[in-house]
Amino acid sequence: MARTDTYYGLNDWARKSLAKTLPGVVESTVTYANGRTKSRRQENIPAVVKVEEIGRIPGYEDRPLIQPLKAYTMHDGRVLEEYVQEHFHCGGPCFWIALRYRSTGRVLKSSLWTHKDIHGY
């Protein structure tokens, strides 16, 4: 019987929240080393301004890495971290990921997988 690592990742709400854009316009001028300038305009500012790897979900046996865990710096300065909400073995390890605030550790309830979602697989 084959064993597989299963990574479910973030739920739909969390993925959509991280992909959002904010209404607004950023206008800037880039000045290059040779003195040339170029105007730039960006509409719909991304809500996430920085993504960093903060850890890794280790693999088993011959698989060294299942998935990195990430932190997302939001436009307003808040940092959301991924963490393993649920993990169990069912023909191999299964991982469900949720989000929490870095500063307080408080979980974003909307990012949690439901009991039905997890145990329905």
Side-chain angles (χ1 to χ4, degrees):
M1 182 169 145
R3 290 177 40 132
T4 60
D5 299 334
T6 307
Y7 177 79
Y8 292 98
L10 295 169
N11 68 14
D12 286 340
W13 179 90
R15 282 194 303 273
K16 288 176 185 174
S17 294
L18 295 173
K20 282 185 180 176
T21 58
L22 306 172
V25 176
V26 175
E27 295 179 333
S28 61
T29 302
V30 178
T31 304
Y32 296 95
N34 65 3
R36 185 175 64 94
T37 62
K38 181 178 179 181
S39 295
R40 182 172 177 247
R41 178 181 169 95
Q42 177 183 353
E43 295 185 27
N44 298 324
I45 304 159
V48 175
V49 295
K50 180 181 171 187
V51 179
E52 60 184 308
E53 185 177 312
I54 58 169
R56 292 175 168 243
I57 299 172
Y60 295 88
E61 299 171 5
D62 63 339
R63 295 171 300 279
L65 169 68
I66 293 173
Q67 186 73 22
L69 293 172
K70 299 174 185 170
Y72 304 90
T73 302
M74 307 304 284
H75 196 269
D76 62 5
R78 294 176 298 156
V79 180
L80 304 177
E81 294 182 323
E82 294 179 341
Y83 75 98
V84 177
Q85 175 191 339
E86 186 73 44
H87 164 240
F88 62 81
H89 286 263
C90 181
C94 302
F95 297 90
W96 288 265
I97 307 300
L99 295 172
R100 63 183 171 204
Y101 291 103
R102 175 178 280 175
S103 62
T104 64
R106 187 172 59 89
V107 172
L108 278 79
K109 290 183 182 178
S110 296
S111 77
L112 294 174
W113 290 87
T114 66
H115 182 79
K116 181 180 175 184
D117 287 336
I118 292 171
H119 296 283
Y121 287 101

